[in-house]
Amino acid sequence: MSTDHRLEFLAKVSALAEKFAMSQPAPSRRLPDLVSVESLTAQVLSPAQLDAIAQIQEGVRMIGQLEQRINVLAVGHELPVSLFLPQCGQLWAELENRLFDSGVAAARLHNGAKAPAGRRVAA
């Protein structure tokens, strides 16, 4: 592809991107997504689930401490081993996201608690 064709192609892509951006509503004018009260209720964690998450997080914290101790010993004694457990971090992040989503859903339900079940609540 020659330089002229590349420039022409880039100009067309740029024009399309600009046209698409202008067709989107401005962020300040965008209406909030609506979700049903039932779907928000399903996102709220029960007390038993919150307790289980706290226990899992404590276990993950202990695993992280053990991982660190093993790696410090390996490096300190010049052993050619290491331990890397990325799933612990992924699990921690997933649990934190669930806790956050549950809190947001609970707050939305609290703010619209008097709404009948068929009414949609702003997300």
Side-chain angles (χ1 to χ4, degrees):
M1 186 182 266
S2 71
T3 304
D4 291 338
H5 289 290
R6 286 183 186 161
L7 291 175
E8 186 179 323
F9 175 75
L10 290 174
K12 287 180 181 179
V13 169
S14 178
L16 282 173
E18 186 177 326
K19 186 175 182 180
F20 176 77
M22 295 195 64
S23 70
Q24 299 299 308
S28 61
R29 296 184 315 202
R30 184 172 177 257
L31 296 175
D33 296 328
L34 297 180
V35 294
S36 69
V37 171
E38 292 83 9
S39 68
L40 286 175
T41 302
Q43 291 179 24
V44 177
L45 297 168
S46 70
Q49 289 172 320
L50 292 171
D51 184 52
I53 286 175
Q55 290 180 40
I56 292 168
Q57 286 179 318
E58 182 59 29
V60 169
R61 194 175 295 115
M62 289 171 50
I63 291 169
Q65 291 170 349
L66 288 172
E67 176 186 19
Q68 182 180 13
R69 283 179 50 200
I70 289 169
N71 287 329
V72 166
L73 283 169
V75 169
H77 295 284
E78 299 177 353
L79 297 171
V81 297
S82 66
L83 182 61
F84 177 59
L85 302 171
Q87 282 184 307
C88 288
Q90 293 167 348
L91 178 59
W92 187 274
E94 184 179 332
L95 292 173
E96 286 295 321
N97 287 335
R98 288 198 182 209
L99 289 169
F100 178 78
D101 291 344
S102 176
V104 169
R108 289 179 182 161
L109 286 170
H110 177 74
N111 291 336
K114 296 179 183 177
R119 177 174 165 222
R120 296 175 69 78
V121 178

